Amino acid sequence: MVSNALQATDPHDLGARLQHARRARGVTQAQAAEHLGVARTTITAIEKGQRRIKASELMSLAGLYGRSVNELLRNEEPDPSFGVQLRSAFIADSEAERWLADKIDDFERLAEDYRELEQLRQAPMPQRYPPPYDLGGGPPEHEAELVADAERNRLGVGDGPLINLRSTLENDVGIRVFYMDLPSKVAAMFAYTLKLGGCVAVNRNHPAEKRRLSAAHEYGHFLTRRHQAEVAILGRYQRVPEQERFADAFSRAFLMPQSGLRRRFSRIQSSREKGITPADLCRLAHVYFVSVEAMTLRLEELSLLPSGTWERLSGKGFRVREAQSLLGLPQQPTEDNLLPRRYMYLATEAYESGQLSEGQFARFLRVDRLESRRIAEALATELSVDDDGELSAVQLELGGSVSDVNRRRGGE
């Protein structure tokens, strides 16, 4: 089967993909040659398309480069700008390079696999991208408020809490969002190419509230600097650049819009004779699905609380989790799957229709075959349309948006 696919593949295209995979893995031509037991000039000839690679050699190099044979046989050129841009976003720190080199490769492959599934199912990602926002040159925090308000208006989400951020970014904007196991100091990564569109990887090991702020932070970069890749490393800057100040402020303004927050705060304040309590802060943070620290600092930023309120609270040993438990606040629905739901639906459809073998299906889902069968059974029951022909939840994931559904239903 591999031999037949090799015969149908242009050796120049395959050579370019092999070279890209080798470089992305940090393997030299000499190391690849030693792995195969051939001369380095043979690797050079293969990568230039001057010598056809054997099936056994391809399978051996696929293992060395951490790629599947199917990936290397794809009938399209690799998109080298993705990995290159992300590597250019590193700080000048060899330790950071060691942390992230493999993770960037994984990130790129996830995005490419997503696009391949869309091509198989003829369901391209709807990209509802605004033109990049042109910042007016004012203080980054002020510009962030303006962009956050404009973007919420564009998306039609009003000024209330935005709980399902990942779904909104994917279905209403068209950004691929993955939750990856990243080093603890890395909050998120962002990259954009014409072929793959906007792609975000968030550290799934961080608390859910932190993940949301990180995703919104990268969205701020996408809205203003989408052609410049970003690796958000905690504690990276001694003096924070203006573009990072903007992204940080945007994430707060987007998740905690000031008009709606002011109204809620005013209602709480009017019912309290002695002012806002820590319990009130916990409840307010829960409504917006952010940390109590982020909420308190946002209220300070809007001059609704005195500056230094959070510092004083934490200095007195305020235990947030204990307070939340005592208040009986239910956990917000959290979802930390590596893959977006839409990706999983596409893979399941491709598997159910015979476009993917069981082994390929498991590879796309990054699980073993037993787990892939369980996932297929669970998701297959959801792949349906309701009796009235309305967009189901699955169809939303595969291409519709919340606003599309509202238009069909007469703007409910």
Side-chain angles (χ1 to χ4, degrees):
M1 183 175 177
V2 174
S3 298
N4 293 338
L6 271 176
Q7 292 300 317
T9 302
D10 187 303
H12 293 88
D13 291 344
L14 178 56
R17 286 194 289 275
L18 285 166
Q19 183 185 66
H20 173 63
R22 175 180 60 77
R23 288 176 173 173
R25 195 68 168 178
V27 176
T28 66
Q29 285 189 333
Q31 289 170 330
E34 182 180 357
H35 182 75
L36 288 185
V38 299
R40 187 186 63 80
T41 52
T42 301
I43 299 296
T44 301
I46 289 172
E47 291 183 349
K48 289 183 177 180
Q50 297 169 349
R51 191 268 218 188
R52 277 194 177 273
I53 190 171
K54 301 173 184 176
S56 60
E57 293 171 334
L58 178 62
M59 288 187 284
S60 182
L61 286 182
L64 178 64
Y65 300 160
R67 302 290 174 103
S68 71
V69 172
N70 285 339
E71 261 184 294
L72 295 172
L73 289 174
R74 283 176 176 157
N75 293 320
E76 62 179 32
E77 289 292 328
D79 191 352
S81 60
F82 188 104
V84 170
Q85 284 187 48
L86 271 169
R87 281 173 177 77
S88 71
F90 279 136
I91 55 175
D93 184 340
S94 59
E95 185 181 4
E97 183 103 21
R98 288 194 299 273
W99 282 347
L100 286 173
D102 289 343
K103 296 299 182 182
I104 288 174
D105 291 340
D106 292 343
F107 184 19
E108 182 173 10
R109 274 177 276 172
L110 284 165
E112 288 177 344
D113 281 355
Y114 201 157
R115 184 170 179 268
E116 183 175 350
L117 289 172
E118 290 170 346
Q119 291 174 326
L120 281 175
R121 299 305 302 155
Q122 298 182 5
M125 170 79 79
Q127 294 183 346
R128 302 176 177 91
Y129 296 169
Y133 284 89
D134 184 18
L135 302 183
E141 293 76 12
H142 174 70
E143 298 294 327
E145 296 284 350
L146 297 177
V147 174
D149 285 346
E151 193 60 8
R152 273 181 162 263
N153 288 334
R154 185 182 77 87
L155 296 173
V157 295
D159 63 0
L162 184 59
I163 303 301
N164 295 317
L165 176 63
R166 185 180 189 180
S167 177
T168 297
L169 293 181
E170 176 118 7
N171 298 323
D172 290 336
V173 183
I175 294 178
R176 309 179 194 279
V177 183
F178 305 97
Y179 283 2
M180 296 179 62
D181 291 316
L182 298 175
S184 60
K185 289 187 178 180
V186 179
M189 299 187 288
F190 161 75
Y192 170 85
T193 70
L194 289 175
K195 185 176 81 173
L196 297 173
C199 304
V200 172
V202 177
N203 194 333
R204 70 190 297 185
N205 299 312
H206 286 175
E209 297 90 345
K210 172 62 179 170
R211 292 198 300 264
R212 285 164 46 78
L213 280 169
S214 297
H217 176 105
E218 301 306 334
Y219 187 39
H221 282 301
F222 166 79
L223 292 171
T224 54
R225 306 165 64 243
R226 70 188 56 165
H227 295 285
Q228 299 180 45
E230 155 78 359
V231 179
I233 299 176
L234 302 178
R236 178 175 182 174
Y237 302 106
Q238 290 183 335
R239 184 174 181 180
V240 182
E242 286 201 353
Q243 64 267 24
E244 290 302 307
R245 286 173 54 197
F246 168 84
D248 283 341
F250 172 84
S251 67
R252 297 190 297 269
F254 191 66
L255 292 181
M256 297 171 278
Q258 66 167 310
S259 55
L261 184 56
R262 286 182 184 278
R263 282 199 309 276
R264 287 178 184 271
F265 185 85
S266 179
R267 286 200 296 268
I268 295 171
Q269 195 173 40
S270 63
S271 67
R272 297 284 185 269
E273 293 182 2
K274 296 183 179 179
I276 298 293
T277 67
D280 293 325
L281 295 177
C282 288
R283 293 189 185 97
L284 202 52
H286 179 264
V287 167
Y288 283 87
F289 200 177
V290 296
S291 69
V292 176
E293 177 181 4
M295 175 55 70
T296 306
L297 293 176
R298 176 64 169 155
L299 293 172
E300 291 182 36
E301 182 177 49
L302 297 176
S303 300
L304 295 173
L305 286 179
S307 179
T309 297
W310 173 251
E311 187 177 350
R312 287 189 292 274
L313 267 178
S314 57
K316 292 179 179 178
F318 178 57
R319 297 187 181 91
V320 172
R321 294 302 181 194
E322 183 178 326
Q324 291 170 329
S325 178
L326 289 171
L327 290 169
L329 297 175
Q331 280 196 334
Q332 293 282 16
T334 59
E335 185 260 305
D336 62 356
N337 292 329
L338 166 67
L339 304 170
R341 294 283 287 179
R342 181 175 182 271
Y343 178 112
M344 297 176 71
Y345 287 135
L346 287 168
T348 302
E349 282 194 334
Y351 173 58
E352 293 288 330
S353 65
Q355 291 176 296
L356 294 179
S357 68
E358 185 176 81
Q360 290 171 326
F361 179 56
R363 182 187 68 78
F364 272 99
L365 294 186
R366 273 67 175 175
V367 297
D368 60 34
R369 293 193 181 199
L370 183 62
E371 179 64 9
S372 73
R373 290 188 207 115
R374 188 196 66 77
I375 292 173
E377 290 173 2
L379 293 181
T381 60
E382 301 177 30
L383 294 172
S384 61
V385 184
D386 66 27
D387 294 337
D388 296 327
E390 293 287 1
L391 283 171
S392 65
V394 171
Q395 289 175 296
L396 275 178
E397 297 284 356
L398 295 184
S401 69
V402 174
S403 52
D404 290 336
V405 175
N406 286 340
R407 280 193 293 272
R408 288 186 52 148
R409 293 179 176 174
E412 286 181 12

